[in-house]
Amino acid sequence: MSAPQPPQPADIPTLLVKIFGKDRPGLTAGLFDTLAAYSVDVVDIEQVVTRGRIVLCALVTAPPAGLEGDLRATVHSWAESMKMQAEIISGIGDNRPRGLGRSHVTVLGHPLTSESTAAIAASITATGGNIDRIFRLAKYPVTAVEFAVSGTETEPLRTALAIEAAKLGVDVAVVAAGLHRRAQRLVVMDVDSTLIQDEVIELFAAHAGCEEEVAAVTTAAMRGELDFEQSLHARVALLAGLDASVVDKVRSEVRLTPGARTLIRTLKRLGYQVGVVSGGFTQVTDDLKERLGLDFAQANTLEIVDGKLTGKVTGEVVDRAGKARLLRRFAQEAGVPLEQTVAIGDGANDLDMLNAAGLGVAFNAKPLVREAAHTAVNVPFLDTVLYLLGITREEVEAAQTHTDSD
């Protein structure tokens, strides 16, 4: 005969002990010291501090028979001595099991309004999801909060919230929960108008006196109205005859997007690998790779003969399909599964890469790209992408402090 099984958490009497009031050191230790006298076991703990006010919840097994009343009186007396309030609720078992389907929903607002928060929460409920936990990731440069959601699959939740986010003017990212979220990952970015604020070919064109003509073709290509490779050759042809010394001038004119250094430094400090792919030129991306400590970089190469630009590019053109191929190649070289990659871009030629990645982020992108990507960020700070990965502002600042001290 098999030995009798001990009572399971779902079958045993429990008490939910809730303490709330002004936070101060020693409250958690004090509560559990008080409970320890009654030989109760801890089933669950949750503590939240908001603007100096604490809510501490402890789910514990019920004390031996006849002692519950004494426990209640002792806890209330201790709480009163600490100028806190206490609430104790009897029940059976642990928290109810979370539903199948787990996702993290990150909401970015600048600001984050009550109306948009209510609408997002209602949309989660409408898909059959339950909000299990909410916590703040950052308060600046944007407000970022994360909802832990269960009870609904990631894809339908992402679709529903993308529609709601577009109406509300907030940024929402939905990713599947799981260990992979904190595993080693690869982040690959577009360069022009993503990692940097400029379009590199327009910087070259300014020195050739054809900036407006090149800018018009670039804009049409990014909207998906022109074949990228054809538009590239047409624009580069206008640079024929420029002195090669212009390369150094263009490098000095490149402006990083706000938050770019913070994004890369933080990712690198946390063990991520970072790369760039660009329809621009290696004459600039190689310099960025060295300056920023990137792991991978690939772009087109301007042909230079006898110290002059010929108006041609050499080698295989990095176009829309090429960016996706390079993402896969970088992932293979990095030893990172494709589903653990993150791609960031703004133009139509980034779409294949965004769709191939585990998470595709449209950064201040064209409407066509925003609609097709997994999520969109529409604030001018590149480091906000960190919050979509579940990285808090405190972790960002800690990474920066460690980097500066290295």
Side-chain angles (χ1 to χ4, degrees):
M1 180 180 293
S2 61
Q5 296 297 310
Q8 297 300 305
D11 305 324
I12 60 177
T14 52
L15 297 177
L16 175 61
V17 181
K18 179 180 176 182
I19 305 296
F20 48 99
K22 185 177 180 180
D23 189 26
R24 70 199 69 188
L27 288 176
T28 304
L31 173 61
F32 285 98
D33 278 342
T34 303
L35 294 171
Y38 297 91
S39 301
V40 298
D41 296 327
V42 177
V43 179
D44 195 5
I45 308 172
E46 188 82 24
Q47 178 175 304
V48 177
V49 178
T50 305
R51 211 178 69 176
R53 309 293 290 185
I54 186 173
V55 178
L56 170 59
C57 295
L59 186 65
V60 298
T61 55
L67 294 181
E68 182 176 328
D70 190 48
L71 180 150
R72 286 173 175 269
T74 302
V75 169
H76 279 286
S77 177
W78 169 81
E80 185 176 348
S81 73
M82 301 298 293
K83 298 182 179 179
M84 305 288 287
Q85 292 179 275
E87 181 181 5
I88 303 175
I89 303 172
S90 301
I92 299 294
D94 198 349
N95 305 308
R96 64 184 177 83
R98 297 179 66 194
L100 296 177
R102 310 282 175 83
S103 302
H104 296 286
V105 176
T106 306
V107 184
L108 308 179
H110 189 56
L112 181 61
T113 66
S114 299
E115 291 80 4
S116 58
T117 304
I120 293 297
S123 292
I124 292 171
T125 302
T127 66
N130 183 73
I131 299 171
D132 301 313
R133 189 182 179 208
I134 307 173
F135 62 96
R136 186 176 68 183
L137 293 168
K139 60 182 178 181
Y140 69 92
V142 298
T143 300
V145 295
E146 182 172 286
F147 296 76
V149 176
S150 62
T152 187
E153 295 300 324
T154 299
E155 286 304 320
L157 180 62
R158 178 183 286 158
T159 300
L161 292 183
I163 295 170
E164 195 64 40
K167 295 178 187 174
L168 298 168
V170 297
D171 299 330
V172 178
V174 182
V175 297
L179 292 175
H180 70 275
R181 197 176 190 217
R182 285 291 188 174
Q184 184 186 47
R185 299 176 78 175
L186 168 70
V187 176
V188 177
M189 289 176 277
D190 173 44
V191 175
D192 294 8
S193 298
T194 300
L195 178 62
I196 66 174
Q197 301 177 57
D198 313 281
E199 293 286 335
V200 168
I201 195 165
E202 293 177 15
L203 296 179
F204 277 99
H207 292 281
C210 56
E211 185 177 9
E212 289 187 8
E213 186 175 354
V214 166
V217 178
T218 299
T219 300
M222 292 302 100
R223 287 197 301 255
E225 298 171 0
L226 296 175
D227 174 80
F228 179 81
E229 183 170 354
Q230 290 178 340
S231 72
L232 175 68
H233 289 306
R235 288 174 290 171
V236 170
L238 297 171
L239 307 180
L242 270 179
D243 193 89
S245 63
V246 77
V247 171
D248 289 333
K249 295 177 183 177
V250 167
R251 285 175 176 172
S252 68
E253 293 166 354
V254 166
R255 301 165 299 162
L256 292 174
T257 298
R261 286 188 184 276
T262 299
L263 171 70
I264 294 169
R265 285 177 177 174
T266 303
L267 291 173
K268 296 291 291 180
R269 189 74 196 184
L270 295 176
Y272 287 63
Q273 297 187 63
V274 185
V276 293
V277 290
S278 176
F281 309 111
T282 57
Q283 283 83 355
V284 171
T285 57
D286 287 351
D287 181 62
L288 289 170
K289 181 182 180 183
E290 182 177 352
R291 285 167 51 196
L292 299 174
L294 302 173
D295 300 284
F296 305 97
Q298 190 67 46
N300 301 301
T301 299
L302 291 168
E303 184 180 63
I304 299 175
V305 176
D306 297 330
K308 301 286 185 181
L309 274 63
T310 66
K312 299 178 182 179
V313 293
T314 62
E316 185 179 359
V317 170
V318 178
D319 57 6
R320 175 171 169 168
K323 287 189 173 186
R325 284 195 301 272
L326 287 165
L327 171 71
R328 294 186 176 93
R329 193 186 85 189
F330 293 168
Q332 185 176 22
E333 293 178 8
V336 174
L338 197 61
E339 61 267 22
Q340 289 174 211
T341 62
V342 180
I344 311 169
D346 74 301
N349 66 325
D350 297 315
L351 276 173
D352 288 4
M353 175 177 72
L354 296 180
N355 289 327
L359 177 65
V361 180
F363 180 73
N364 291 310
K366 315 301 183 288
L368 172 72
V369 183
R370 287 200 304 269
E371 293 169 7
H374 297 142
T375 189
V377 171
N378 296 299
V379 293
F381 313 108
L382 193 57
D383 54 335
T384 55
V385 173
L386 293 167
Y387 310 138
L388 306 184
L389 308 180
I391 299 169
T392 68
R393 189 70 202 178
E394 287 78 8
E395 290 172 312
V396 173
E397 292 172 350
Q400 295 306 298
T401 300
H402 285 302
T403 301
D404 293 342
S405 64
D406 287 347

